[in-house]
Structures are given as structure tokens and as C-alpha cells.
Amino acid sequence: MNGYLIETEDLRKAFGDVTAVDGISLKIPAGSIYGILGPNGAGKSTTIRMLCGLLTPSSGKARVNGLDVYTQSEQIKQRLGYMSQSFSLYDDLTVLENLRFYATIYGVRGREREERIRQLIAMAGITGRERQLAGTLSGGWKQRLALGCALIHKPQLLVLDEPTAGVDPVARRVFWELIFKLAAQGITVLITTHYMDEAQSCDRIAFVFGGKILAEGTPAELVASGEFRNLEDVFIDYVEQTTGQKVRSSFEEIKFLLRSDGGGVQ
Amino acid sequence: MNLSRFGMVIWKEFKHIYRDPVSLRLVILMPLLFTLLFGYAITTDVEHIGLAVYDGDQSYESRELIRKFVASDYFSLEQMAGDSLQLEALLDAGEVKAALVIPEGYGKKLKRGEVPESLLIIDGTDPTIARTALQSGNLIANVYNMRTLSDGVFQVAEMKTRVWYNPNLESAKFIIPGLIGLIMQNITVMLTAFALVREKEKGTIEQLIVTPLRPVELILGKLVPYIMIGSIDFLIALFFGTWYFHVPINGSIFLLLGLGFLFVISALAIGMLISTVTKNQLQSMQLAFITILPTVLLSGFMFPRDGMPLAVYWLGNLFPMTYFLEILRGIILKGIGLEYLWKEVAGMTAIGALLLAAAIKKFHKSLD
Ligand SMILES: Nc1ncnc2c1ncn2[C@@H]1O[C@H](COP(=O)(O)OP(=O)(O)OP(=O)(O)O)[C@@H](O)[C@H]1O
Ligand SMILES: [Mg+2]
């Protein structure tokens, strides 16, 4: 395993004519928080789904904890916690029922199960809402319940697909505090995001665009690789290079227009 | 198969059903509603055919024949015509669907022991009504003639005519058992056709697939609650249908219940297979209809299977409903047991098992 929990080589996935993932090679160190950053449709979810055994790759290699995603995906699932991009627990089951269901499915039983559920409810801060239907929880609570369900079997790898999308800043902060705690316990976290500040919090990041990795490294390395002020600059620069379009200058133009408009009023 | 995982899926599925009171009520109401609706639709369309009569004989016997027609419930006397021309006009105008002509001398012939002639004219625009009118008209006239002829001659003859009397009841007897099978098939296939696609549509399947849960545990676990519901539905349809339409169960009720249970499982397996191969509720609805519709014809519900071309006949063998129809009619009407029905039971079990195996095999733990 040589210190990497996940290794992929030239991983590809095509849906008919659309190539969602176009040759991604990753090495994710065990125990790290690894971020995949990229705009809508970049191929983040597709990459993650192939690693979790939800989608079969079209070609390329991928190993999770030394296990092959083509042939050993059921074994991979035993030690993997996954939170999908949209809430996919049962709306018509209560918080407790959802947790019990997944605990039993993962083979956590009896006293151990109740103890584990109690811990996770406390950790996720959903105490007092155990008997509420999951569908009636608000965004932040749902997110933390889903995290709880993903952790019920003490996985060594936690895969989170845009876990903080549509969640308010405070709830996002609380969520990241949890992720840091989990990483400190030695759990490897693979997370996708749109947000620069979240990317900044990762140990390493891969910037994915059009199904390809454009840049990879620690946030500090990436910023230091050129004359950049911050991560945002780095990525805008890469997008401009790849697409040949001037994202930044067009943004400046808008600012300029706004300023001249404002001047006109005064 | 891991029993605690299997049990957990059953428990979860029960919760879903329990938390959806609308579908829970529908599940109880459906067999009642369908039995009533279809039962009436099929057994009453043949009653009260409008009849006009020209009685050229004006004898006791001719009036008695008219009375028999009216008493049969198949015909209702709309008008007495003065001559046969007026009868024709009534038929042409569509005011009546059938016309009866009793010629002069009808009563005399009957008294002499000859078979007298009478004429029943039927409007053939609606073949179903026409066929029924023709058959029942013939039957009524024959029965009346036989009865009159046999009066005081043979007591045996009198009894024979009684068996043939009231053919209306006979048709209900034949229809209702088949109808119970048809209704049960439609309800159960629909029950499971949505079982998996609902999870696909809501996205909950994604979370389920990343767990170690095995296809056999998921499919069978989802099936169990519906087996119970389907069995309750069968009890309702069976007892309500036979009681309401006065169809006695001649054979063993326990055998019927046991085989009904087996049928429910087989039919649920069809729905489950549909659920595994479709992506959303609309698709599974369509596929369910495409599967259910041909069984109405292929299973022998409407037409006897013996006259069908071989290929069509074999196609019918693919549906559990075909076997169950034989079983229902065999036990309810003929009162026969396993010694005659074992082939149907074996066929139904085999098809059911095959369908279930296919559903489990077809369910892949992946989103592609
Ligand atoms: N099942 C599918 N069938 C066809 N095309 C798909 C499918 N899933 C994804 N795609 C396409 O693949 C590309 C990558 O999608 P993916 O969901 O991986 O992007 P993403 O980076 O997760 O985007 P987002 O930030 O919006 O979640 C998109 O163009 C998408 O339309
Ligand atoms: Mg995505």
C-alpha cells in the first residue's frame, strides 16, 4: 500500500458520448484530508462514485486500500463511509431508525449498536431530534445525520461528495470541525467541493476540470507555483489556460462597467 | 444470506408502508372496489336486453313464453307489437335490441307434443349483446318447451330443466373465480413494480449500494411485506367476491388459500423484476401495463386457451395467472384437489421461482 490509501491510474468514465472522467491519476495518502475541487460537471462525483463501487470505470486502474475497484468493490464497501451529493437517507424514517437501519446493514448489532448510535448522535449534535422524521430536518441537521450514518461502522475511509452544498456558513463551520476531528483519529477523508476556503482546509487538493486534473498539491505549493495571491487565482489561471477564455479580464470589465454606472448616477 | 440484514430490510419496508396511510388504505380498498366494479361490468352487461314481442297466437302458452323471457332478467319487455312490420320498425329505430315473433298455432302445436316454432330476431350491431341474447333466448324457449312437454310425463325431465335454468347465475360462477385471479394479479404486480424504482427516483438507492447489503437480501426483504399485504388482498377478493356474487366454493378452502399465497408470491415477483429493470415510476408503470394487458387474453380469462395457435398458447404458459386461473376454477367450481391440479401448481411455482431468481440476478449493485 506504500502509504497511499487510494491510487488511480488513467481512470476514465464515459456515458455514451460524454466523457465525464478523462484519465485521472491520483495518489491519496492514508490519514489525510484530500480535496477534489472543480466547477459543475467537472467529473468530481463520477470519480468518487467509481472509487466507491457505484460506477464501473470505462478504463484505467483504481485501488482502494489495495483492493481493486473492478473485482473487490464489495470488500471496499466494508470499510468505506459515503455521503452522496444529495441527501439519500430515508425521509420517512426517523433519525434513530435511519441510524439503526444502516448500523444493522453494516453488521453493527445489539448493545454495540445502541452505544455507537448514542455516540454518533452526540458527535453530530442531533441530540433531542432522535424521533424526528429525517425528511423534516433542516439542511445542516440532515448533513450531520448523513455523516453519522456514514460513520456507523467505523470506516477507515470517508468519502464526502459536496457535503456542505446549500448549508449556512455556521453549519459549514461546525461540519468542518467534525471533519478535522475525524482526520485526527486517523480516518482518511476524500471530499469534493466548490468552495475555495474549504479547499484551503485540505491537506492536499486536486483541481479537476473537464474530467482532467489540472493541478495537484498542497494548497501552499499550488499558491507558490506562480505569482499568485491565493488559491482562487491559481484556479482561474488554469481555467484560462485550458479554455483560452479570459475569465478574469471579463470579470474586471464587469467591475469597470459597474463603476462607470455608479459614476453616472453621481 | 445474512438474516439480520434481511430482517432489517423487511422492517424498513414495513415502516415505509405504515407511514404512507394513503397507499395503506388503497391496498385494502382496491380488491373490494375492483371486485365490485369488474364483477358488475362483466356480469350485468347481458341483462335487460330491450325486447319487443308480436304475439300472433294469443294463447295461454304464448303468454307463458313471453313471461319466461321477462322473468329471465335477460330481457325486459319494452313493447307489444300489433304485427311483424311494427316489430321491424322498432328494431330499425334501435328502440329494442331483440324482437320475438310467436306465430299463430304455437299453443296448439305445443299441446300436440310437437316442437313449435317461434322467431327471435336480434340486433347484431353489438356482438356481445347479440350472442348473449341469442343463447339465452334459445335456452329460455327450449327450457319452456321441454318443461311444457314434460309436464306430467317425467319427473326426471322436470329436474333436468331446473339445472339448466337461470343461466345468469352460471355466468357469474364462471366469471368470478377468474376475476379474482385477474384482480389479484393486477394489484400485486403494481405493489412491487414501484418497490425499487421509488428508491432509484429518490436517490436512496445510492446509499444502499455502498453498503455490504446483498441483492438477495434486498429483493427478498422488500418482497416479504408485500407478500403479507397481497395475501390479505387475496382473502378480501376471494371472500368478498364469492359471497357478494353468490358463488359457492366447492373445493377445499385451505388448499385455495395455500395456492393463493403461492400465486401472490409469483405475481409479486413479476413486479419486482419490472422494478429492477426500469429507471423510474413511469417506466415501470408502462412495463407493468404491457405485462398485465396480454394476460387478460392469454391466460384464458376471456377465451378458452384450447383454440389458440400453439405459439400464443405457449406464451400464456409464461404467466403465473394462467395456472392460477385453472386452480381457481378447479377448486371453486369443480371442487377438485391437488390430484388434478398438481401440474398447474408445479407450473406456477416454477415460473414464480424463475421470476424471483431473475429479479435478484438483474439487480446490480451499481448505478450504471
Ligand atoms: N449517469 C450519467 N449519464 C450521463 N451523463 C452523466 C451521468 N452522470 C454524470 N454525467 C455527466 O458527466 C459529467 C460529469 O458529471 P459529475 O456529476 O461527475 O460532475 P461534478 O463535478 O460532480 O459536478 P457537480 O459539481 O455539478 O456535482 C457531466 O457532464 C454530467 O452531465
Ligand atoms: Mg457532483
Side-chain angles (χ1 to χ4, degrees):
Chain A
M1 229 180 71
N2 52 49
Y4 295 114
L5 191 71
I6 298 175
E7 283 178 283
T8 76
E9 214 183 297
D10 205 22
L11 200 60
R12 280 168 209 274
K13 178 72 186 181
F15 299 103
D17 294 337
V18 184
T19 306
V21 173
D22 195 8
I24 281 190
S25 302
L26 280 175
K27 279 184 195 304
I28 300 178
S32 64
I33 301 179
Y34 197 98
I36 298 183
L37 185 66
N40 291 125
K44 304 184 294 294
S45 297
T46 309
T47 306
I48 272 184
R49 283 174 172 160
M50 286 191 281
L51 296 175
C52 297
L54 282 163
L55 289 172
T56 318
S58 303
S59 68
K61 287 183 201 157
R63 288 185 167 270
V64 176
N65 198 18
L67 300 164
D68 184 31
V69 293
Y70 291 95
T71 56
Q72 295 169 299
S73 69
E74 288 306 297
Q75 281 148 278
I76 294 174
K77 286 169 186 174
Q78 296 278 359
R79 308 224 38 204
L80 172 114
Y82 172 70
M83 217 179 123
S84 79
Q85 189 166 350
S86 53
F87 184 69
S88 27
L89 297 178
Y90 296 103
D91 281 344
D92 54 346
L93 296 189
T94 65
V95 168
L96 208 57
E97 285 165 349
N98 268 299
L99 286 164
R100 285 209 178 117
F101 176 72
Y102 278 102
T104 311
I105 295 300
Y106 279 111
V108 185
R109 262 175 260 164
R111 289 235 336 264
E112 193 198 343
R113 183 181 80 173
E114 296 311 307
E115 177 59 24
R116 186 80 189 135
I117 288 176
R118 203 186 52 74
Q119 283 171 1
L120 285 172
I121 284 178
M123 176 212 83
I126 33 183
T127 318
R129 305 219 174 210
E130 291 91 336
R131 297 188 190 283
Q132 192 173 334
L133 291 182
T136 65
L137 292 173
S138 67
W141 298 89
K142 273 187 183 171
Q143 236 87 12
R144 296 203 293 277
L145 171 61
L147 182 67
C149 276
L151 288 169
I152 199 107
H153 56 302
K154 301 192 175 167
Q156 66 178 159
L157 169 64
L158 186 61
V159 178
L160 309 169
D161 196 357
E162 287 184 38
T164 56
V167 168
D168 70 62
V170 178
R172 253 175 72 196
R173 189 60 170 274
V174 173
F175 196 85
W176 269 89
E177 293 297 329
L178 284 174
I179 293 174
F180 289 137
K181 269 188 217 160
L182 293 167
Q185 291 168 25
I187 296 177
T188 309
V189 180
L190 173 59
I191 186 166
T192 70
T193 181
H194 289 295
Y195 300 113
M196 290 300 158
D197 58 334
E198 291 189 352
Q200 195 78 52
S201 308
C202 297
D203 295 327
R204 295 186 76 83
I205 36 180
F207 181 63
V208 180
F209 187 74
K212 291 188 167 76
I213 295 182
L214 296 188
E216 205 269 353
T218 65
E221 276 169 15
L222 288 171
V223 176
S225 66
E227 307 222 323
F228 302 118
R229 277 167 300 172
N230 52 34
L231 266 182
E232 195 166 333
D233 273 0
V234 180
F235 296 126
I236 288 174
D237 191 63
Y238 275 112
V239 172
E240 281 180 355
Q241 280 178 25
T242 320
T243 61
Q245 280 181 348
K246 285 244 164 224
V247 179
R248 200 167 6 201
S249 66
S250 59
F251 187 63
E252 294 292 329
E253 271 165 36
I254 292 166
K255 271 198 215 159
F256 169 74
L257 283 172
L258 284 172
R259 234 178 276 134
S260 74
D261 260 16
V265 171
Q266 285 167 359
Chain B
M1 186 153 107
N2 178 311
L3 281 183
S4 62
R5 285 204 297 247
F6 172 59
M8 204 60 195
V9 175
I10 298 176
W11 172 85
K12 162 186 104 70
E13 217 54 37
F14 264 123
K15 288 266 165 176
H16 289 323
I17 297 166
Y18 170 76
R19 297 251 160 89
D20 185 2
V22 178
S23 76
L24 201 60
R25 262 175 238 148
L26 270 181
V27 151
I28 303 296
L29 273 179
M30 265 193 309
L32 287 178
L33 217 68
F34 283 168
T35 311
L36 268 183
L37 217 64
F38 294 157
Y40 270 126
I42 297 179
T43 54
T44 59
D45 64 346
V46 293
E47 283 177 9
H48 306 296
I49 300 163
L51 176 77
V53 178
Y54 165 61
D55 186 355
D57 197 40
Q58 299 286 351
S59 60
Y60 166 76
E61 284 77 13
S62 68
R63 277 193 296 276
E64 193 65 4
L65 178 64
I66 297 168
R67 211 183 60 74
K68 291 290 178 209
F69 264 80
V70 175
S72 76
D73 270 355
Y74 272 123
F75 299 94
S76 59
L77 185 61
E78 302 277 323
Q79 208 161 341
M80 293 299 293
D83 52 46
S84 49
L85 273 177
Q86 197 190 337
L87 268 189
E88 256 177 60
L90 284 170
L91 272 174
D92 283 344
E95 282 181 37
V96 293
K97 295 277 178 218
L100 176 68
V101 181
I102 308 172
E104 210 184 322
Y106 178 88
K108 274 186 197 148
K109 273 193 180 172
L110 205 57
K111 271 187 229 153
R112 280 205 302 269
E114 295 166 30
V115 179
E117 278 173 354
S118 56
L119 177 65
L120 184 65
I121 308 166
I122 289 153
D123 178 352
T125 5
D126 185 334
T128 330
I129 296 181
R131 209 174 300 127
T132 325
L134 191 68
Q135 283 166 357
S136 39
N138 255 329
L139 203 56
I140 293 162
N142 283 342
V143 167
Y144 172 64
N145 293 344
M146 274 169 74
R147 190 184 270 200
T148 315
L149 284 170
S150 66
D151 261 358
V153 183
F154 285 119
Q155 199 57 37
V156 183
E158 172 78 10
M159 277 177 64
K160 232 182 192 166
T161 62
R162 288 184 67 100
V163 177
W164 287 103
Y165 197 58
N166 199 358
N168 183 28
L169 198 64
E170 292 292 327
S171 90
K173 270 188 189 166
F174 185 69
I175 296 275
I176 293 300
L179 195 63
I180 292 169
L182 190 69
I183 289 170
M184 279 318 296
Q185 171 190 257
N186 296 2
I187 294 176
T188 43
V189 169
M190 287 294 177
L191 281 180
T192 38
F194 300 130
L196 262 173
V197 277
R198 228 179 278 129
E199 299 225 16
K200 290 183 197 171
E201 270 188 359
K202 287 196 171 169
T204 51
I205 196 88
E206 191 166 346
Q207 199 68 48
L208 217 49
I209 292 176
V210 290
T211 68
L213 186 67
R214 293 178 51 201
V216 61
E217 294 155 358
L218 179 66
I219 300 287
L220 293 186
K222 273 185 173 288
L223 203 64
V224 169
Y226 292 110
I227 294 177
M228 294 196 186
I229 289 173
S231 300
I232 293 171
D233 278 351
F234 177 60
L235 285 179
I236 296 174
L238 177 68
F239 287 114
F240 181 70
T242 50
W243 167 76
Y244 192 85
F245 291 99
H246 310 290
V247 180
I249 300 171
N250 290 321
S252 157
I253 288 188
F254 291 107
L255 181 63
L256 190 55
L257 293 184
L259 294 178
F261 182 73
L262 209 63
F263 171 71
V264 165
I265 298 175
S266 310
L268 286 171
I270 300 178
M272 201 49 104
L273 184 58
I274 289 173
S275 214
T276 54
V277 298
T278 50
K279 286 204 159 61
N280 54 52
Q281 303 203 32
L282 186 68
Q283 274 182 13
S284 35
M285 181 77 120
Q286 288 167 337
L287 196 56
F289 269 121
I290 293 171
T291 320
I292 287 172
L293 278 180
T295 57
V296 177
L297 299 175
L298 296 178
S299 64
F301 173 73
M302 283 176 73
F303 310 113
R305 297 211 313 138
D306 301 323
M308 293 176 184
L310 208 61
V312 178
Y313 184 89
W314 276 101
L315 211 58
N317 281 346
L318 295 177
F319 299 97
M321 162 90 170
T322 307
Y323 305 94
F324 192 49
L325 223 57
E326 294 287 325
I327 293 171
L328 278 167
R329 285 176 180 157
I331 296 179
I332 296 179
L333 300 181
K334 298 192 218 159
I336 54 178
L338 273 180
E339 67 275 17
Y340 293 106
L341 291 170
W342 65 269
K343 269 192 212 153
E344 279 73 24
V345 175
M348 192 169 76
T349 312
I351 296 284
L354 223 66
L355 285 167
L356 259 189
I360 293 167
K361 186 121 184 60
K362 273 271 163 200
F363 177 72
H364 292 298
K365 281 185 71 183
S366 113
L367 295 175
D368 328 68

